């Protein structure tokens, strides 16, 4: 009896177990949940450390668009968005140059005058003296480059704050512009010429806008993936592949939506295409080159940069040269928009809007933090407010107050972020 029970137990123990399934792969919903959870955790860590990135300006931009769309349904119409995409280009290019200067903890007050000077040089050479457009265009851009280089070298050698040197440049270059234009004061550009087409030409083929969206999104994914592999091989913190895919998908949704809206009006503006290509190119210069790393190093601490044997003079000179060059190019786009150059070129709110765009977009006034895309986001906020005010027939005084309030909020956020970074030993 006992023996029979033992044999029965043995048979129970030795019975082959039912085949078990292999390790189950997480479902797509679970994988997406993990990505979102990790993204939220990273966001919380960055916010607590004062690394806000572009989040505040994106929220402000969304609030501005929602507000004006609720007041007037034509605000987000294809026509208005197309005009908005062209209106941001001239001042936006100047703001990109300002970003370079802010990154080293300085400020360039001469960009408005340089933009007017470059436009005047082009107009006088081409219209009044019959110089070919391409040659006059090169001369105008070189005028801005030379002006910025002279100021940058003066700042580096004398160690006088850049805002003092460029304040003198503001007055000097404005005087040179007035002298070049002469007593006539206004020069009308050829409306069929090359410069006039900068802001009047559109790619009417739908494939142009969609192609740009596809190429841009693909390049972002490839660059992000390459950066992830490089960091992974070096044992550095890196984004997950799922996170890169999610971010790329969000960018693709925004890009293709913008392409769809632009195609519903006149197509892809040439000015916007040039703007995005230049912003992306300069962003690569800042993020992927030795020169860019030196710019950020100077913004962190100029004395530490000197002790590390960095070419401080060369970097400071180059930064102001970039600012002057971008101001000249931006001035040509502004002249193209109105097809004329007058004694008021480069004056008014141009300087303030360019600086405000860089700061609102997230470039730190303390140096060392910001990207060229900051200028794009900041310019979108400023121009969206201006466009919304026009559509809703709001007084200009209110526009100034709102823009000033947004700028003040950006400065406060920048200061608080800086304080938080110091508390965490990151500044």
């Amino acid at each position: 009896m006992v023996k029979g029970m033992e044999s029965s137990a043995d048979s129970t123990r030795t019975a082959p177990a039912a085949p078990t399934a292999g390790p189950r792969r997480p479902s797509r919903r679970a994988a997406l949940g993990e990505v979102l959870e990790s993204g939220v955790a990273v966001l919380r860590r960055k916010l607590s450390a004062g690394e806000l990135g572009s989040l505040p300006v994106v929220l402000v931009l969304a609030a501005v668009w929602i507000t004006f769309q609720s007041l007037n349904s034509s605000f987000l119409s294809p026509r208005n968005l197309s005009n908005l995409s062209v209106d941001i280009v001239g001042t936006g290019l100047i703001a990109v140059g300002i970003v370079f200067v802010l990154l080293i903890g300085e400020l360039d007050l001469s960009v408005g005058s340089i933009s007017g000077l470059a436009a005047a040089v082009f107009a006088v050479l081409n219209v009044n003296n019959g110089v070919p457009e391409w040659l006059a265009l090169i001369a105008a851009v070189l005028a801005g480059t030379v002006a910025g280089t002279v100021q940058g070298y003066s700042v580096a050698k004398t160690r006088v704050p850049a805002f003092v040197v460029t304040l003198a440049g503001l007055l000097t270059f404005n005087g040179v512009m007035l002298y070049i234009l002469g007593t006539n004061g206004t020069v009308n550009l050829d409306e069929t010429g090359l410069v006039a087409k900068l802001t009047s030409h559109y790619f009417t083929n739908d494939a142009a806008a969609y192609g740009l969206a596809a190429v841009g999104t693909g390049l972002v994914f490839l660059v992000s993936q390459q950066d992830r592999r490089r960091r992974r091989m070096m044992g550095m913190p890196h984004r997950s592949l799922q996170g890169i895919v999610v971010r790329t998908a969000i960018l693709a949704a925004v890009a293709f939506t913008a392409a769809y809206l632009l195609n519903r009006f006149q197509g892809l503006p040439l000015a916007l295409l040039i703007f995005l290509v230049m912003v992306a190119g300069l962003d690569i210069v800042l993020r992927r080159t030795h020169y860019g790393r030196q710019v950020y190093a100077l913004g962190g601490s100029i004395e530490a940069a000197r002790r590390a044997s960095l070419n401080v003079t060369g970097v400071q000179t180059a930064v102001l040269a970039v600012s002057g060059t971008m101001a000249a190019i931006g001035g040509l786009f502004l002249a193209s928009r109105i097809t004329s150059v007058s004694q008021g070129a480069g004056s008014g709110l141009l300087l303030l809007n360019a600086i405000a765009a860089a700061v609102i977009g997230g470039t730190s006034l303390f140096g060392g933090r910001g990207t060229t895309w900051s200028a794009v986001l900041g310019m979108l906020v400023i121009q969206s407010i201006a466009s919304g005010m026009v559509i809703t027939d709001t007084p200009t005084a209110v526009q100034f107050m709102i823009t000033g309030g947004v700028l003040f909020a950006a400065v406060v956020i920048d200061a608080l972020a800086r304080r938080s970074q110091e508390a965490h030993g990151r500044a």
Side-chain angles (χ1 to χ4, degrees), residues 182-307:
T183 56
N184 186 23
T186 301
V187 179
N188 295 319
L189 303 181
D190 180 8
E191 296 186 0
T192 61
L194 175 63
V195 170
K197 290 181 179 179
L198 290 175
T199 56
S200 63
H201 182 75
Y202 292 78
F203 296 98
T204 55
N205 191 338
D206 289 359
Y210 290 124
L212 176 63
V215 171
T217 304
L219 288 176
V220 169
F221 176 79
L222 292 176
V223 171
S224 300
Q225 179 67 355
Q226 182 182 10
D227 184 65
R228 172 180 174 272
R229 290 177 180 175
R230 180 176 59 84
R231 287 175 169 271
R232 187 176 181 181
M233 292 178 59
M234 298 176 63
M236 300 172 62
H238 58 276
R239 294 190 179 97
S240 64
L241 179 59
Q242 294 87 346
I244 294 176
V245 170
V246 171
R247 292 186 61 183
T248 305
I250 295 174
L251 175 62
V254 174
F256 279 95
T257 300
Y260 170 75
L261 292 173
L262 291 175
N263 284 333
R264 289 187 63 191
F265 182 55
Q266 289 182 311
L268 175 66
L270 173 62
L272 179 62
L273 175 61
I274 296 174
F275 184 39
L276 293 178
V277 170
M278 294 192 69
V279 170
L282 290 175
D283 181 66
I284 293 175
V285 170
L286 280 178
R287 291 174 177 266
R288 307 286 176 179
T289 66
H290 180 63
Y291 164 73
R293 289 188 288 271
Q294 287 183 316
V295 171
Y296 283 108
L298 258 67
S301 173
I302 190 170
E303 289 302 323
R306 284 196 176 99
R307 293 174 182 176

Side-chain angles (χ1 to χ4, degrees), residues 21 45 68 93 97 119 268 325 327 339 406:
R45 176 179 58 80
F68 284 119
L93 288 169
L268 175 66
T325 302
T339 63
V406 173

